[in-house]
Amino acid sequence: MMDNFENVNSRRTRPAKPPLGLDIIIRTAYKLLSENGMSGMSMRKVAKSLDTGPASLYVYVENYQKLSAYVLDYGLRDVKLVEDDTVYWKDAIINVLKSYFKVLAETPGLAELALTTSPNGTNSMDINECLLKYLQAGGISTRSAAWGIDILLLYVSSLSFERVLRNKKDDDLDDLVALYNTVDVSKYPMISKLKSELFSGDGGERFSWGIEVILQGLLSMQNN
Amino acid sequence: MMDNFENVNSRRTRPAKPPLGLDIIIRTAYKLLSENGMSGMSMRKVAKSLDTGPASLYVYVENYQKLSAYVLDYGLRDVKLVEDDTVYWKDAIINVLKSYFKVLAETPGLAELALTTSPNGTNSMDINECLLKYLQAGGISTRSAAWGIDILLLYVSSLSFERVLRNKKDDDLDDLVALYNTVDVSKYPMISKLKSELFSGDGGERFSWGIEVILQGLLSMQNN
DNA sequence: ACCTGAACACCGTTCAAGT
DNA sequence: ACCTGAACACCGTTCAAGT
C-alpha cells in the first residue's frame, strides 16, 4: 500500500519520490533554512532537494517571497502559547514572547525572515490571538493592543536577529565596535560616556527590560 | 589639466571617467538604490555605472554587505538633527525621528536596508549622539537611553518599511488582509474584533503613538 | 493539470593577467 | 597598488514541450 509508486517486485535503489505539493515544499524549504541559514534556502535548492527542476515549484508557490512567508509561519509552529486563563496577563505575554524569541534564535535565518516578511498562515495568527487576549486582559485598550503586538514582536525579532549576528563571525559588528571605540570624545560626548552600555546586555536582561518598557508604555496610553 | 586622460586635441565623446574611490562607489550605489530600490543596487550595476568591471570595486569595498552599511549611513546624511538646547527634549526627539522616518520613506530600499544592516559611518553616529543627549536631558537613565535609541530607531524603521510596502503593489499585504478577513470568529475572537485596528493608522497617527509609548515606557523605568 | 529541462537575465566574488 | 575581463558557482522566473 505504501509502495503505490513502485512496480510489484520492487527493490528500491533510492527513496520513493514523494509527490509534489505545497506542504512538502514548505517543509523542505524550512529544513534547508534551519540547516544552512537564509542562503541555504532557495527555489533551486528546494527543487533539487525534491529531485525535480525549479519550474516544478511554481505550480504550488507563486514566487520566492510567498514561499518565505509560508516558511516563516511554519517555523513559528513551535512557539508555545499560554492557554491558562489564571496566569497573570503580563507573565503570559512574557512567556509567549520568550518562546517566540527562542524559536527565532534557534533556527538560523528565521529571525532575518521575521524582520522582512509577513508570515502567512495560522501559526502567526494563533500567536497574535493569544497576545491580544492577554493584552486586553491587562486592561490595555483595543487600539493599543492591536498596534502593541506589532511593537512587541518587532522588538523580539530584532533582538534575536542581533543575537544570531553576534553568534556568527560577524565582521559588521566588530567594525561598529571599532568605530565607536575610536570616537572623538569632544564631538561625541554622550556616545563616549555610554559606550559600554550601547553594546551591553546579555540578551536575557535586555529582553526583559524591553518588554517591560513596551508594556509600561502601553499601559500609560490608557487614558489617551 | 583636467584632460589628463585625453590626448592633446581632445574632443570628448563621453564624460571623463572619474577615478575610482570609496566615495564615488558609495554615491553611485546610493544613486542606484534611490532610483530603482534595493534590487537596483548591486556590485555589478555599480561597476557598470562606473564603466568598469565588478572586480574593480573590491579594491575599495570588502564585500556587498559592507557597501550596504556605507550606503545606509550615506543615506542618513539628510536626517535633520536638533541643535537647539532650549527645545523641549521630547519635541527634539520627535523632530529627529520624524526626519529619520521621512528620509527612510522617501528613498526606496533605504528602510529595508535599515532593518537588516548596521550603518557604518558618522551620520548614524551623529543621530545617536543627538538622541542620547535629549533622552538624558529628559531624565532618562544611562542604560535606558542607550538601549532606548535602538528601540526608537527600530520602530521608526519598521514603520517606514511598512509604508514603503504599502505604496508598492504589495501582494503580500493583500494576502494578509484576505487571511484576516476570512477568519473564523469562534477560533479567533480577538482578531475578529480588532480586525480593522490591526491594519489601521494613517502612518502619522501611528508614528506619534509609538514614539509616545516608547518614551513613556522609558520614563517608567527610571526607578528600576 | 501537472511536471520538467533548458533558457534568460541576472547575482557576489575570485582569479589571472595586465598597468 | 590599482585595474580589469573572464570565470566560477550561484540566483528567480518563464518558456516550450512533454505527460
Side-chain angles (χ1 to χ4, degrees), chain B residues 17 20 44 52-53 55-56 59-60:
Chain B
K17 193 173 159 182
L20 230 44
R44 296 181 102 102
T52 182
S56 307
V59 178
Y60 303 97

mmCIF file of all heavy atoms in Angstrom, chain B residues 17 20 44 52-53 55-56 59-60, chain D residues 1-9:
data_model
loop_
_atom_site.group_PDB
_atom_site.id
_atom_site.type_symbol
_atom_site.label_atom_id
_atom_site.label_comp_id
_atom_site.label_asym_id
_atom_site.label_seq_id
_atom_site.Cartn_x
_atom_site.Cartn_y
_atom_site.Cartn_z
ATOM 1 N N LYS B 17 36.116 59.734 -17.419
ATOM 2 C CA LYS B 17 35.882 58.668 -16.451
ATOM 3 C C LYS B 17 36.447 59.075 -15.108
ATOM 4 O O LYS B 17 37.648 59.352 -15.001
ATOM 5 C CB LYS B 17 36.582 57.407 -16.959
ATOM 6 C CG LYS B 17 36.179 56.161 -16.235
ATOM 7 C CD LYS B 17 36.808 54.965 -16.927
ATOM 8 C CE LYS B 17 36.853 53.792 -15.977
ATOM 9 N NZ LYS B 17 37.508 52.644 -16.622
ATOM 10 N N LEU B 20 38.382 55.849 -9.653
ATOM 11 C CA LEU B 20 37.657 55.059 -8.657
ATOM 12 C C LEU B 20 38.045 55.479 -7.238
ATOM 13 O O LEU B 20 39.090 56.095 -7.027
ATOM 14 C CB LEU B 20 38.003 53.580 -8.864
ATOM 15 C CG LEU B 20 36.820 52.609 -8.957
ATOM 16 C CD1 LEU B 20 35.721 53.159 -9.825
ATOM 17 C CD2 LEU B 20 37.286 51.271 -9.492
ATOM 18 N N ARG B 44 27.568 44.564 -9.459
ATOM 19 C CA ARG B 44 27.728 44.626 -10.905
ATOM 20 C C ARG B 44 27.146 45.894 -11.505
ATOM 21 O O ARG B 44 27.719 46.475 -12.427
ATOM 22 C CB ARG B 44 27.066 43.398 -11.538
ATOM 23 C CG ARG B 44 27.738 42.101 -11.135
ATOM 24 C CD ARG B 44 27.081 40.905 -11.796
ATOM 25 N NE ARG B 44 27.873 40.442 -12.924
ATOM 26 C CZ ARG B 44 28.672 39.373 -12.896
ATOM 27 N NH1 ARG B 44 28.767 38.649 -11.805
ATOM 28 N NH2 ARG B 44 29.372 39.040 -13.944
ATOM 29 N N THR B 52 33.224 50.162 -15.395
ATOM 30 C CA THR B 52 34.345 49.258 -15.130
ATOM 31 C C THR B 52 33.804 47.859 -14.843
ATOM 32 O O THR B 52 32.596 47.636 -14.873
ATOM 33 C CB THR B 52 35.191 49.772 -13.946
ATOM 34 O OG1 THR B 52 36.293 48.886 -13.753
ATOM 35 C CG2 THR B 52 34.369 49.818 -12.687
ATOM 36 N N GLY B 53 34.666 46.934 -14.565
ATOM 37 C CA GLY B 53 34.239 45.582 -14.227
ATOM 38 C C GLY B 53 33.973 45.448 -12.746
ATOM 39 O O GLY B 53 34.465 46.256 -11.950
ATOM 40 N N ALA B 55 35.105 43.474 -10.539
ATOM 41 C CA ALA B 55 36.265 43.196 -9.686
ATOM 42 C C ALA B 55 36.921 44.471 -9.170
ATOM 43 O O ALA B 55 37.521 44.486 -8.097
ATOM 44 C CB ALA B 55 37.277 42.361 -10.456
ATOM 45 N N SER B 56 36.773 45.548 -9.920
ATOM 46 C CA SER B 56 37.434 46.805 -9.553
ATOM 47 C C SER B 56 36.984 47.333 -8.195
ATOM 48 O O SER B 56 37.754 47.968 -7.469
ATOM 49 C CB SER B 56 37.151 47.870 -10.615
ATOM 50 O OG SER B 56 37.488 47.391 -11.892
ATOM 51 N N VAL B 59 38.766 46.633 -4.561
ATOM 52 C CA VAL B 59 39.937 47.351 -4.036
ATOM 53 C C VAL B 59 39.508 48.277 -2.893
ATOM 54 O O VAL B 59 40.258 48.507 -1.954
ATOM 55 C CB VAL B 59 40.617 48.168 -5.160
ATOM 56 C CG1 VAL B 59 41.789 48.959 -4.613
ATOM 57 C CG2 VAL B 59 41.057 47.252 -6.290
ATOM 58 N N TYR B 60 38.277 48.765 -2.965
ATOM 59 C CA TYR B 60 37.820 49.772 -2.000
ATOM 60 C C TYR B 60 36.757 49.260 -1.020
ATOM 61 O O TYR B 60 36.556 49.834 0.040
ATOM 62 C CB TYR B 60 37.261 50.976 -2.750
ATOM 63 C CG TYR B 60 38.262 51.574 -3.703
ATOM 64 C CD1 TYR B 60 38.248 51.253 -5.051
ATOM 65 C CD2 TYR B 60 39.254 52.429 -3.236
ATOM 66 C CE1 TYR B 60 39.181 51.780 -5.924
ATOM 67 C CE2 TYR B 60 40.190 52.968 -4.095
ATOM 68 C CZ TYR B 60 40.155 52.630 -5.435
ATOM 69 O OH TYR B 60 41.094 53.149 -6.282
ATOM 70 P P DA D 1 51.435 47.097 -2.594
ATOM 71 O OP1 DA D 1 50.965 45.823 -2.550
ATOM 72 O OP2 DA D 1 52.615 47.718 -2.206
ATOM 73 O "O5'" DA D 1 50.273 48.119 -3.108
ATOM 74 C "C5'" DA D 1 50.320 49.468 -2.784
ATOM 75 C "C4'" DA D 1 49.553 50.245 -3.844
ATOM 76 O "O4'" DA D 1 50.027 49.873 -5.151
ATOM 77 C "C3'" DA D 1 48.068 49.950 -3.815
ATOM 78 O "O3'" DA D 1 47.388 51.196 -3.916
ATOM 79 C "C2'" DA D 1 47.821 49.065 -5.035
ATOM 80 C "C1'" DA D 1 48.966 49.412 -5.960
ATOM 81 N N9 DA D 1 49.494 48.229 -6.677
ATOM 82 C C8 DA D 1 49.936 47.061 -6.131
ATOM 83 N N7 DA D 1 50.346 46.189 -7.018
ATOM 84 C C5 DA D 1 50.164 46.826 -8.232
ATOM 85 C C6 DA D 1 50.408 46.424 -9.557
ATOM 86 N N6 DA D 1 50.927 45.231 -9.876
ATOM 87 N N1 DA D 1 50.112 47.314 -10.533
ATOM 88 C C2 DA D 1 49.601 48.510 -10.189
ATOM 89 N N3 DA D 1 49.333 49.004 -8.977
ATOM 90 C C4 DA D 1 49.633 48.093 -8.040
ATOM 91 P P DC D 2 45.789 51.286 -3.970
ATOM 92 O OP1 DC D 2 45.383 52.650 -3.614
ATOM 93 O OP2 DC D 2 45.265 50.115 -3.237
ATOM 94 O "O5'" DC D 2 45.508 51.068 -5.514
ATOM 95 C "C5'" DC D 2 45.674 52.159 -6.407
ATOM 96 C "C4'" DC D 2 45.383 51.662 -7.799
ATOM 97 O "O4'" DC D 2 46.103 50.442 -8.027
ATOM 98 C "C3'" DC D 2 43.913 51.323 -8.055
ATOM 99 O "O3'" DC D 2 43.469 52.172 -9.087
ATOM 100 C "C2'" DC D 2 43.910 49.849 -8.447
ATOM 101 C "C1'" DC D 2 45.341 49.640 -8.890
ATOM 102 N N1 DC D 2 45.887 48.256 -8.801
ATOM 103 C C2 DC D 2 46.247 47.588 -9.969
ATOM 104 O O2 DC D 2 46.107 48.166 -11.056
ATOM 105 N N3 DC D 2 46.752 46.321 -9.886
ATOM 106 C C4 DC D 2 46.896 45.743 -8.694
ATOM 107 N N4 DC D 2 47.409 44.509 -8.652
ATOM 108 C C5 DC D 2 46.545 46.418 -7.485
ATOM 109 C C6 DC D 2 46.042 47.660 -7.578
ATOM 110 P P DC D 3 41.918 52.206 -9.409
ATOM 111 O OP1 DC D 3 41.587 53.505 -10.015
ATOM 112 O OP2 DC D 3 41.161 51.690 -8.241
ATOM 113 O "O5'" DC D 3 41.859 51.116 -10.555
ATOM 114 C "C5'" DC D 3 42.446 51.424 -11.824
ATOM 115 C "C4'" DC D 3 42.379 50.194 -12.672
ATOM 116 O "O4'" DC D 3 43.027 49.107 -11.982
ATOM 117 C "C3'" DC D 3 40.967 49.683 -12.959
ATOM 118 O "O3'" DC D 3 40.636 50.054 -14.285
ATOM 119 C "C2'" DC D 3 41.051 48.162 -12.743
ATOM 120 C "C1'" DC D 3 42.549 47.921 -12.582
ATOM 121 N N1 DC D 3 42.959 46.791 -11.709
ATOM 122 C C2 DC D 3 43.402 45.607 -12.298
ATOM 123 O O2 DC D 3 43.416 45.517 -13.530
ATOM 124 N N3 DC D 3 43.794 44.579 -11.501
ATOM 125 C C4 DC D 3 43.769 44.719 -10.165
ATOM 126 N N4 DC D 3 44.175 43.682 -9.430
ATOM 127 C C5 DC D 3 43.327 45.921 -9.549
ATOM 128 C C6 DC D 3 42.933 46.915 -10.346
ATOM 129 P P DT D 4 39.158 49.943 -14.726
ATOM 130 O OP1 DT D 4 38.965 50.797 -15.924
ATOM 131 O OP2 DT D 4 38.267 50.101 -13.561
ATOM 132 O "O5'" DT D 4 39.120 48.436 -15.204
ATOM 133 C "C5'" DT D 4 39.951 48.048 -16.302
ATOM 134 C "C4'" DT D 4 39.921 46.554 -16.460
ATOM 135 O "O4'" DT D 4 40.498 45.923 -15.305
ATOM 136 C "C3'" DT D 4 38.516 45.966 -16.541
ATOM 137 O "O3'" DT D 4 38.234 45.755 -17.908
ATOM 138 C "C2'" DT D 4 38.591 44.646 -15.748
ATOM 139 C "C1'" DT D 4 40.047 44.585 -15.317
ATOM 140 N N1 DT D 4 40.313 44.030 -13.957
ATOM 141 C C2 DT D 4 40.969 42.839 -13.849
ATOM 142 O O2 DT D 4 41.334 42.189 -14.812
ATOM 143 N N3 DT D 4 41.176 42.417 -12.560
ATOM 144 C C4 DT D 4 40.790 43.076 -11.387
ATOM 145 O O4 DT D 4 41.043 42.605 -10.284
ATOM 146 C C5 DT D 4 40.108 44.321 -11.576
ATOM 147 C C7 DT D 4 39.644 45.108 -10.396
ATOM 148 C C6 DT D 4 39.884 44.743 -12.839
ATOM 149 P P DG D 5 36.818 45.488 -18.450
ATOM 150 O OP1 DG D 5 36.610 46.364 -19.614
ATOM 151 O OP2 DG D 5 35.861 45.501 -17.337
ATOM 152 O "O5'" DG D 5 36.989 43.992 -18.978
ATOM 153 C "C5'" DG D 5 37.988 43.712 -19.944
ATOM 154 C "C4'" DG D 5 38.179 42.217 -20.088
ATOM 155 O "O4'" DG D 5 38.629 41.647 -18.833
ATOM 156 C "C3'" DG D 5 36.925 41.442 -20.466
ATOM 157 O "O3'" DG D 5 37.312 40.398 -21.365
ATOM 158 C "C2'" DG D 5 36.402 40.913 -19.129
ATOM 159 C "C1'" DG D 5 37.694 40.699 -18.344
ATOM 160 N N9 DG D 5 37.598 40.932 -16.899
ATOM 161 C C8 DG D 5 36.880 41.918 -16.266
ATOM 162 N N7 DG D 5 37.007 41.902 -14.957
ATOM 163 C C5 DG D 5 37.863 40.840 -14.719
ATOM 164 C C6 DG D 5 38.369 40.330 -13.487
ATOM 165 O O6 DG D 5 38.166 40.731 -12.347
ATOM 166 N N1 DG D 5 39.219 39.234 -13.687
ATOM 167 C C2 DG D 5 39.537 38.713 -14.912
ATOM 168 N N2 DG D 5 40.364 37.664 -14.910
ATOM 169 N N3 DG D 5 39.075 39.173 -16.069
ATOM 170 C C4 DG D 5 38.235 40.239 -15.897
ATOM 171 P P DA D 6 36.256 39.387 -21.947
ATOM 172 O OP1 DA D 6 36.719 39.054 -23.312
ATOM 173 O OP2 DA D 6 34.894 39.920 -21.727
ATOM 174 O "O5'" DA D 6 36.449 38.097 -21.026
ATOM 175 C "C5'" DA D 6 37.777 37.626 -20.788
ATOM 176 C "C4'" DA D 6 37.739 36.487 -19.783
ATOM 177 O "O4'" DA D 6 37.635 37.023 -18.433
ATOM 178 C "C3'" DA D 6 36.576 35.505 -19.959
ATOM 179 O "O3'" DA D 6 37.104 34.195 -19.954
ATOM 180 C "C2'" DA D 6 35.663 35.805 -18.764
ATOM 181 C "C1'" DA D 6 36.662 36.290 -17.712
ATOM 182 N N9 DA D 6 36.114 37.188 -16.690
ATOM 183 C C8 DA D 6 35.282 38.257 -16.883
ATOM 184 N N7 DA D 6 34.955 38.891 -15.770
ATOM 185 C C5 DA D 6 35.619 38.178 -14.780
ATOM 186 C C6 DA D 6 35.686 38.344 -13.380
ATOM 187 N N6 DA D 6 35.052 39.314 -12.711
ATOM 188 N N1 DA D 6 36.438 37.467 -12.677
ATOM 189 C C2 DA D 6 37.073 36.500 -13.350
ATOM 190 N N3 DA D 6 37.093 36.239 -14.662
ATOM 191 C C4 DA D 6 36.335 37.131 -15.326
ATOM 192 P P DA D 7 36.159 32.948 -20.143
ATOM 193 O OP1 DA D 7 36.919 31.989 -20.967
ATOM 194 O OP2 DA D 7 34.802 33.392 -20.558
ATOM 195 O "O5'" DA D 7 36.063 32.357 -18.663
ATOM 196 C "C5'" DA D 7 37.276 32.156 -17.949
ATOM 197 C "C4'" DA D 7 36.963 31.777 -16.504
ATOM 198 O "O4'" DA D 7 36.487 32.944 -15.787
ATOM 199 C "C3'" DA D 7 35.882 30.699 -16.350
ATOM 200 O "O3'" DA D 7 36.366 29.704 -15.475
ATOM 201 C "C2'" DA D 7 34.691 31.456 -15.768
ATOM 202 C "C1'" DA D 7 35.379 32.579 -14.994
ATOM 203 N N9 DA D 7 34.562 33.779 -14.794
ATOM 204 C C8 DA D 7 33.867 34.488 -15.739
ATOM 205 N N7 DA D 7 33.227 35.534 -15.257
ATOM 206 C C5 DA D 7 33.522 35.516 -13.903
ATOM 207 C C6 DA D 7 33.149 36.357 -12.849
ATOM 208 N N6 DA D 7 32.369 37.431 -12.992
ATOM 209 N N1 DA D 7 33.615 36.044 -11.611
ATOM 210 C C2 DA D 7 34.405 34.972 -11.479
ATOM 211 N N3 DA D 7 34.823 34.103 -12.390
ATOM 212 C C4 DA D 7 34.344 34.438 -13.603
ATOM 213 P P DC D 8 35.573 28.326 -15.293
ATOM 214 O OP1 DC D 8 36.585 27.242 -15.236
ATOM 215 O OP2 DC D 8 34.494 28.291 -16.294
ATOM 216 O "O5'" DC D 8 34.926 28.453 -13.851
ATOM 217 C "C5'" DC D 8 35.775 28.744 -12.742
ATOM 218 C "C4'" DC D 8 34.914 28.927 -11.508
ATOM 219 O "O4'" DC D 8 34.352 30.252 -11.522
ATOM 220 C "C3'" DC D 8 33.731 27.947 -11.439
ATOM 221 O "O3'" DC D 8 33.738 27.283 -10.189
ATOM 222 C "C2'" DC D 8 32.504 28.835 -11.611
ATOM 223 C "C1'" DC D 8 33.006 30.181 -11.126
ATOM 224 N N1 DC D 8 32.293 31.342 -11.717
ATOM 225 C C2 DC D 8 31.864 32.377 -10.876
ATOM 226 O O2 DC D 8 32.085 32.288 -9.665
ATOM 227 N N3 DC D 8 31.212 33.442 -11.407
ATOM 228 C C4 DC D 8 30.998 33.498 -12.722
ATOM 229 N N4 DC D 8 30.359 34.568 -13.199
ATOM 230 C C5 DC D 8 31.429 32.456 -13.597
ATOM 231 C C6 DC D 8 32.072 31.408 -13.057
ATOM 232 P P DA D 9 32.926 25.892 -10.028
ATOM 233 O OP1 DA D 9 33.833 24.936 -9.351
ATOM 234 O OP2 DA D 9 32.313 25.552 -11.326
ATOM 235 O "O5'" DA D 9 31.769 26.279 -9.020
ATOM 236 C "C5'" DA D 9 32.054 27.128 -7.919
ATOM 237 C "C4'" DA D 9 30.794 27.870 -7.523
ATOM 238 O "O4'" DA D 9 30.564 28.973 -8.427
ATOM 239 C "C3'" DA D 9 29.521 27.001 -7.592
ATOM 240 O "O3'" DA D 9 28.750 27.211 -6.424
ATOM 241 C "C2'" DA D 9 28.819 27.517 -8.836
ATOM 242 C "C1'" DA D 9 29.186 28.999 -8.713
ATOM 243 N N9 DA D 9 28.896 29.782 -9.906
ATOM 244 C C8 DA D 9 28.970 29.407 -11.220
ATOM 245 N N7 DA D 9 28.600 30.348 -12.066
ATOM 246 C C5 DA D 9 28.265 31.414 -11.254
ATOM 247 C C6 DA D 9 27.799 32.711 -11.526
ATOM 248 N N6 DA D 9 27.579 33.166 -12.749
ATOM 249 N N1 DA D 9 27.560 33.520 -10.470
ATOM 250 C C2 DA D 9 27.775 33.046 -9.238
ATOM 251 N N3 DA D 9 28.214 31.854 -8.849
ATOM 252 C C4 DA D 9 28.442 31.072 -9.925
#
